[in-house]
């Protein structure tokens, strides 16, 4: 299949993945669904796990998912190759007592989640999605269709709007979702109905707002892909595709070459700093790896030997040079959409890449037949960070920070290059192969 055709097929599948993942909980569930469909076995953290080499598994903890494939010849010191990404995206989350209203309008009380570009959420059809904890102990996923909107104030009522718009995070971010009296309405009932449950049975909820528009390919030669939540579902999706391919149709077809255990770790709460039971700073990955090595009969020393030979590829989106704001970027190192995935570098360890990691990344890219670009921040512009340094600090596994270049990061709808999305998955496949 020609690369351009395969890249557009990959983008179409990513659009499906994003549409099925309006919240981190849905994303984790979609990861598990796709892997189970490919022959992976879903495990329960409260149950006993298989105690032998061989097998492909996935486990979900809240809005995070970890999956791995153990080669039949794996031993107590077989290293892991972990590709880490995250399932959450900046936006808005429902507050307690979420049904509000004013002047005949029904509104939703929301709290800002992470660091979204607030203005980008204006005048878009929005969904509500998340999980509902019910009186009978069940937890169900729920997602509406287009339901909400943050309407812009007309220019006739604010003649200076084009001179600068700054939304108040409280009064300017409460979306409308209907007409009527808030006393007789219930937005949770709308969410409950989408899951086929009674709103009166809800005892707790975690619900976020998501852009309802589907991902789309466009531009000259169909080079662009625009979608919500590319940060960081683009990486999660690439890793799922790569892991399914690397694991093969059976455990006997697990990655060839020097034996490694390929692992996908899709964490939640990266946009908040990762400090949660399902975030990269939490114990989830360490818990899973401890049980994987216990199944291989590894003692503490053997597990540490395995970690010393292991790699973590921290994959998250990065900045493409912006043609209208090139001065915000490094004057020399300027990655651009369509020229390959990026290697992230920062002198202050906001990214975990070092010289040895850079060489390893070059090797995996070469193996995949993929070009790569570098990213470094302008010294006058603060650099963001990722799960890379967090995981490296927690586990001591050598880590490389990578991703794809995008524009409009943290917008309700971000922009990526079609070829970069596909190339990232190709490098992930090479990484999983060892």
């Amino acid at each position: 299949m020609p690369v351009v055709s395969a890249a557009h097929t990959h983008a179409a599948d990513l659009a499906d993945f994003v549409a099925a993942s309006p919240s981190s909980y849905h994303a984790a569930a979609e990861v598990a669904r796709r892997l189970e469909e490919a022959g992976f076995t879903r495990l329960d953290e409260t149950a006993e796990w298989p105690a032998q080499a061989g097998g492909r598994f996935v486990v979900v903890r809240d809005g995070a998912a970890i999956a791995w494939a153990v080669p039949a010849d794996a031993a107590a010191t077989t290293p892991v190759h972990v590709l880490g990404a995250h399932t959450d995206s900046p936006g808005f989350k429902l507050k307690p007592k979420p049904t509000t209203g004013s002047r005949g309008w029904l509104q939703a009380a929301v709290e800002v989640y992470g660091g979204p570009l607030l203005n980008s959420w204006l005048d878009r059809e929005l969904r509500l999605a998340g999980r509902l904890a019910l009186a009978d102990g069940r937890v169900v996923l729920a997602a509406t269709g287009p339901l909400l909107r943050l309407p812009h104030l007309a220019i006739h009522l604010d003649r200076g709007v084009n001179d600068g718009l700054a939304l108040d995070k409280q009064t300017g971010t409460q979306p409308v979702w209907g007409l009527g009296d808030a006393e007789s309405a219930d937005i949770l009932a709308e969410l409950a109905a989408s899951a086929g449950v009674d709103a009166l049975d809800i005892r707790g909820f975690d619900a976020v707002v998501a852009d309802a528009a589907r991902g789309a390919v466009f531009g000259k030669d169909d080079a662009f892909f625009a979608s919500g939540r590319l940060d960081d579902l683009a990486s999660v999706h690439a890793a799922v595709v790569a892991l399914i391919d690397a694991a093969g149709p059976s455990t006997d077809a697990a990655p060839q070459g020097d034996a490694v255990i390929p692992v996908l770790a899709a964490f939640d709460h990266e946009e908040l700093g990762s400090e949660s039971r399902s975030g990269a700073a939490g114990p989830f990955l360490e818990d899973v790896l401890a049980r994987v090595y216990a199944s291989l009969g590894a003692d503490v020393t053997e597990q540490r030997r395995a970690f010393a030979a292991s790699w973590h590829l921290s994959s998250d989106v990065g900045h493409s040079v912006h043609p209208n704001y090139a001065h915000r970027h490094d004057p020399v190192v300027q990655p651009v959409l369509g020229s390959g995935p990026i290697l992230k570098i920062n002198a202050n360890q906001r990214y975990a890449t070092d010289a040895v990691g850079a060489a390893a990344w070059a090797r995996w890219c070469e193996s995949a037949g993929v070009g790569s670009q570098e990213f470094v921040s302008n010294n006058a512009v603060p650099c963001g960070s990722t799960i890379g340094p967090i995981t490296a600090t927690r586990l001591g596994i050598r880590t490389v920070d990578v991703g794809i270049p995008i524009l409009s990061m943290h917008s309700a709808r971000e922009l990526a290059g079609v070829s970069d999305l596909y190339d990232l998955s190709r490098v992930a496949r090479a990484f999983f192969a060892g």
Side-chain angles (χ1 to χ4, degrees), residues 5-15 234 237-238 241 418 421-423 425:
S5 178
H8 285 87
T9 299
H10 182 91
D13 190 57
L14 173 58
H237 173 260
V241 171
V418 168
L421 295 164
Y422 179 56
D423 284 348
S425 190

PDB file of all heavy atoms in Angstrom, residues 5-15 234 237-238 241 418 421-423 425:
ATOM      1  N   SER A   5      -1.537   6.552   0.968  1.00  0.00           N
ATOM      2  CA  SER A   5      -2.809   5.875   1.171  1.00  0.00           C
ATOM      3  C   SER A   5      -2.900   5.311   2.582  1.00  0.00           C
ATOM      4  O   SER A   5      -3.926   5.430   3.246  1.00  0.00           O
ATOM      5  CB  SER A   5      -2.965   4.751   0.138  1.00  0.00           C
ATOM      6  OG  SER A   5      -4.170   4.050   0.354  1.00  0.00           O
ATOM      7  N   ALA A   6      -1.827   4.684   3.040  1.00  0.00           N
ATOM      8  CA  ALA A   6      -1.812   4.148   4.396  1.00  0.00           C
ATOM      9  C   ALA A   6      -1.937   5.262   5.430  1.00  0.00           C
ATOM     10  O   ALA A   6      -2.591   5.101   6.468  1.00  0.00           O
ATOM     11  CB  ALA A   6      -0.524   3.356   4.620  1.00  0.00           C
ATOM     12  N   ALA A   7      -1.309   6.406   5.177  1.00  0.00           N
ATOM     13  CA  ALA A   7      -1.377   7.530   6.109  1.00  0.00           C
ATOM     14  C   ALA A   7      -2.797   8.057   6.220  1.00  0.00           C
ATOM     15  O   ALA A   7      -3.258   8.394   7.328  1.00  0.00           O
ATOM     16  CB  ALA A   7      -0.435   8.636   5.663  1.00  0.00           C
ATOM     17  N   HIS A   8      -3.503   8.140   5.116  1.00  0.00           N
ATOM     18  CA  HIS A   8      -4.877   8.638   5.173  1.00  0.00           C
ATOM     19  C   HIS A   8      -5.821   7.615   5.792  1.00  0.00           C
ATOM     20  O   HIS A   8      -6.793   7.986   6.464  1.00  0.00           O
ATOM     21  CB  HIS A   8      -5.337   9.054   3.780  1.00  0.00           C
ATOM     22  CG  HIS A   8      -4.741  10.351   3.333  1.00  0.00           C
ATOM     23  ND1 HIS A   8      -3.520  10.422   2.709  1.00  0.00           N
ATOM     24  CD2 HIS A   8      -5.172  11.641   3.471  1.00  0.00           C
ATOM     25  CE1 HIS A   8      -3.222  11.694   2.452  1.00  0.00           C
ATOM     26  NE2 HIS A   8      -4.204  12.450   2.915  1.00  0.00           N
ATOM     27  N   THR A   9      -5.530   6.341   5.588  1.00  0.00           N
ATOM     28  CA  THR A   9      -6.304   5.307   6.279  1.00  0.00           C
ATOM     29  C   THR A   9      -6.100   5.416   7.780  1.00  0.00           C
ATOM     30  O   THR A   9      -7.046   5.284   8.574  1.00  0.00           O
ATOM     31  CB  THR A   9      -5.878   3.911   5.787  1.00  0.00           C
ATOM     32  OG1 THR A   9      -6.142   3.804   4.390  1.00  0.00           O
ATOM     33  CG2 THR A   9      -6.628   2.820   6.524  1.00  0.00           C
ATOM     34  N   HIS A  10      -4.851   5.660   8.178  1.00  0.00           N
ATOM     35  CA  HIS A  10      -4.537   5.838   9.602  1.00  0.00           C
ATOM     36  C   HIS A  10      -5.289   7.044  10.167  1.00  0.00           C
ATOM     37  O   HIS A  10      -5.853   6.983  11.270  1.00  0.00           O
ATOM     38  CB  HIS A  10      -3.030   6.025   9.774  1.00  0.00           C
ATOM     39  CG  HIS A  10      -2.582   6.170  11.193  1.00  0.00           C
ATOM     40  ND1 HIS A  10      -2.207   5.107  11.981  1.00  0.00           N
ATOM     41  CD2 HIS A  10      -2.456   7.275  11.987  1.00  0.00           C
ATOM     42  CE1 HIS A  10      -1.876   5.535  13.180  1.00  0.00           C
ATOM     43  NE2 HIS A  10      -2.009   6.854  13.213  1.00  0.00           N
ATOM     44  N   ALA A  11      -5.319   8.149   9.414  1.00  0.00           N
ATOM     45  CA  ALA A  11      -6.014   9.356   9.880  1.00  0.00           C
ATOM     46  C   ALA A  11      -7.508   9.105  10.030  1.00  0.00           C
ATOM     47  O   ALA A  11      -8.141   9.588  10.981  1.00  0.00           O
ATOM     48  CB  ALA A  11      -5.761  10.509   8.916  1.00  0.00           C
ATOM     49  N   ALA A  12      -8.099   8.363   9.095  1.00  0.00           N
ATOM     50  CA  ALA A  12      -9.522   8.055   9.188  1.00  0.00           C
ATOM     51  C   ALA A  12      -9.815   7.215  10.434  1.00  0.00           C
ATOM     52  O   ALA A  12     -10.829   7.414  11.123  1.00  0.00           O
ATOM     53  CB  ALA A  12      -9.989   7.324   7.931  1.00  0.00           C
ATOM     54  N   ASP A  13      -8.914   6.285  10.744  1.00  0.00           N
ATOM     55  CA  ASP A  13      -9.093   5.467  11.939  1.00  0.00           C
ATOM     56  C   ASP A  13      -8.906   6.299  13.201  1.00  0.00           C
ATOM     57  O   ASP A  13      -9.597   6.092  14.204  1.00  0.00           O
ATOM     58  CB  ASP A  13      -8.107   4.297  11.918  1.00  0.00           C
ATOM     59  CG  ASP A  13      -8.387   3.274  12.999  1.00  0.00           C
ATOM     60  OD1 ASP A  13      -9.507   2.735  13.032  1.00  0.00           O
ATOM     61  OD2 ASP A  13      -7.488   3.015  13.831  1.00  0.00           O
ATOM     62  N   LEU A  14      -7.980   7.269  13.157  1.00  0.00           N
ATOM     63  CA  LEU A  14      -7.807   8.179  14.288  1.00  0.00           C
ATOM     64  C   LEU A  14      -9.076   8.990  14.519  1.00  0.00           C
ATOM     65  O   LEU A  14      -9.481   9.220  15.672  1.00  0.00           O
ATOM     66  CB  LEU A  14      -6.619   9.109  14.045  1.00  0.00           C
ATOM     67  CG  LEU A  14      -6.399  10.225  15.068  1.00  0.00           C
ATOM     68  CD1 LEU A  14      -6.226   9.673  16.475  1.00  0.00           C
ATOM     69  CD2 LEU A  14      -5.193  11.083  14.679  1.00  0.00           C
ATOM     70  N   ALA A  15      -9.728   9.424  13.444  1.00  0.00           N
ATOM     71  CA  ALA A  15     -10.988  10.162  13.596  1.00  0.00           C
ATOM     72  C   ALA A  15     -12.021   9.306  14.311  1.00  0.00           C
ATOM     73  O   ALA A  15     -12.768   9.799  15.178  1.00  0.00           O
ATOM     74  CB  ALA A  15     -11.499  10.604  12.224  1.00  0.00           C
ATOM     75  N   ALA A 234      -3.681  11.410  19.731  1.00  0.00           N
ATOM     76  CA  ALA A 234      -2.886  11.036  18.560  1.00  0.00           C
ATOM     77  C   ALA A 234      -1.817  10.018  18.942  1.00  0.00           C
ATOM     78  O   ALA A 234      -1.578   9.046  18.213  1.00  0.00           O
ATOM     79  CB  ALA A 234      -2.248  12.276  17.941  1.00  0.00           C
ATOM     80  N   HIS A 237      -3.548   6.564  20.116  1.00  0.00           N
ATOM     81  CA  HIS A 237      -3.995   5.800  18.953  1.00  0.00           C
ATOM     82  C   HIS A 237      -2.816   5.185  18.211  1.00  0.00           C
ATOM     83  O   HIS A 237      -2.852   4.002  17.831  1.00  0.00           O
ATOM     84  CB  HIS A 237      -4.795   6.718  18.027  1.00  0.00           C
ATOM     85  CG  HIS A 237      -5.154   6.093  16.721  1.00  0.00           C
ATOM     86  ND1 HIS A 237      -4.450   6.340  15.558  1.00  0.00           N
ATOM     87  CD2 HIS A 237      -6.140   5.215  16.379  1.00  0.00           C
ATOM     88  CE1 HIS A 237      -4.992   5.654  14.560  1.00  0.00           C
ATOM     89  NE2 HIS A 237      -6.005   4.960  15.030  1.00  0.00           N
ATOM     90  N   ALA A 238      -1.756   5.960  17.976  1.00  0.00           N
ATOM     91  CA  ALA A 238      -0.581   5.437  17.283  1.00  0.00           C
ATOM     92  C   ALA A 238      -0.011   4.233  18.019  1.00  0.00           C
ATOM     93  O   ALA A 238       0.410   3.243  17.394  1.00  0.00           O
ATOM     94  CB  ALA A 238       0.475   6.534  17.153  1.00  0.00           C
ATOM     95  N   VAL A 241      -2.343   1.070  17.609  1.00  0.00           N
ATOM     96  CA  VAL A 241      -2.144   0.478  16.282  1.00  0.00           C
ATOM     97  C   VAL A 241      -0.824  -0.280  16.232  1.00  0.00           C
ATOM     98  O   VAL A 241      -0.747  -1.417  15.731  1.00  0.00           O
ATOM     99  CB  VAL A 241      -2.186   1.570  15.199  1.00  0.00           C
ATOM    100  CG1 VAL A 241      -1.761   1.014  13.847  1.00  0.00           C
ATOM    101  CG2 VAL A 241      -3.584   2.173  15.108  1.00  0.00           C
ATOM    102  N   VAL A 418      -1.041  14.758   8.395  1.00  0.00           N
ATOM    103  CA  VAL A 418      -1.488  13.379   8.179  1.00  0.00           C
ATOM    104  C   VAL A 418      -0.308  12.411   8.177  1.00  0.00           C
ATOM    105  O   VAL A 418      -0.343  11.355   8.816  1.00  0.00           O
ATOM    106  CB  VAL A 418      -2.275  13.274   6.858  1.00  0.00           C
ATOM    107  CG1 VAL A 418      -2.491  11.812   6.457  1.00  0.00           C
ATOM    108  CG2 VAL A 418      -3.620  13.979   6.987  1.00  0.00           C
ATOM    109  N   LEU A 421       1.231  11.650  11.729  1.00  0.00           N
ATOM    110  CA  LEU A 421       0.432  10.746  12.551  1.00  0.00           C
ATOM    111  C   LEU A 421       0.778   9.289  12.233  1.00  0.00           C
ATOM    112  O   LEU A 421       0.969   8.460  13.135  1.00  0.00           O
ATOM    113  CB  LEU A 421      -1.055  10.991  12.311  1.00  0.00           C
ATOM    114  CG  LEU A 421      -1.594  12.361  12.731  1.00  0.00           C
ATOM    115  CD1 LEU A 421      -2.952  12.613  12.101  1.00  0.00           C
ATOM    116  CD2 LEU A 421      -1.679  12.459  14.251  1.00  0.00           C
ATOM    117  N   TYR A 422       0.846   8.993  10.955  1.00  0.00           N
ATOM    118  CA  TYR A 422       1.165   7.637  10.512  1.00  0.00           C
ATOM    119  C   TYR A 422       2.612   7.273  10.832  1.00  0.00           C
ATOM    120  O   TYR A 422       2.898   6.158  11.310  1.00  0.00           O
ATOM    121  CB  TYR A 422       0.897   7.527   9.016  1.00  0.00           C
ATOM    122  CG  TYR A 422       1.199   6.176   8.421  1.00  0.00           C
ATOM    123  CD1 TYR A 422       0.609   5.014   8.920  1.00  0.00           C
ATOM    124  CD2 TYR A 422       2.072   6.062   7.338  1.00  0.00           C
ATOM    125  CE1 TYR A 422       0.883   3.772   8.363  1.00  0.00           C
ATOM    126  CE2 TYR A 422       2.349   4.822   6.774  1.00  0.00           C
ATOM    127  CZ  TYR A 422       1.749   3.683   7.290  1.00  0.00           C
ATOM    128  OH  TYR A 422       2.026   2.459   6.730  1.00  0.00           O
ATOM    129  N   ASP A 423       3.518   8.212  10.612  1.00  0.00           N
ATOM    130  CA  ASP A 423       4.931   7.941  10.870  1.00  0.00           C
ATOM    131  C   ASP A 423       5.202   7.677  12.346  1.00  0.00           C
ATOM    132  O   ASP A 423       6.065   6.856  12.691  1.00  0.00           O
ATOM    133  CB  ASP A 423       5.791   9.101  10.376  1.00  0.00           C
ATOM    134  CG  ASP A 423       5.943   9.119   8.862  1.00  0.00           C
ATOM    135  OD1 ASP A 423       5.577   8.113   8.217  1.00  0.00           O
ATOM    136  OD2 ASP A 423       6.415  10.141   8.329  1.00  0.00           O
ATOM    137  N   SER A 425       3.249   6.161  14.396  1.00  0.00           N
ATOM    138  CA  SER A 425       2.849   4.781  14.648  1.00  0.00           C
ATOM    139  C   SER A 425       3.877   3.803  14.093  1.00  0.00           C
ATOM    140  O   SER A 425       4.153   2.758  14.696  1.00  0.00           O
ATOM    141  CB  SER A 425       1.478   4.510  14.021  1.00  0.00           C
ATOM    142  OG  SER A 425       0.970   3.252  14.447  1.00  0.00           O
TER     143      SER A 425
END
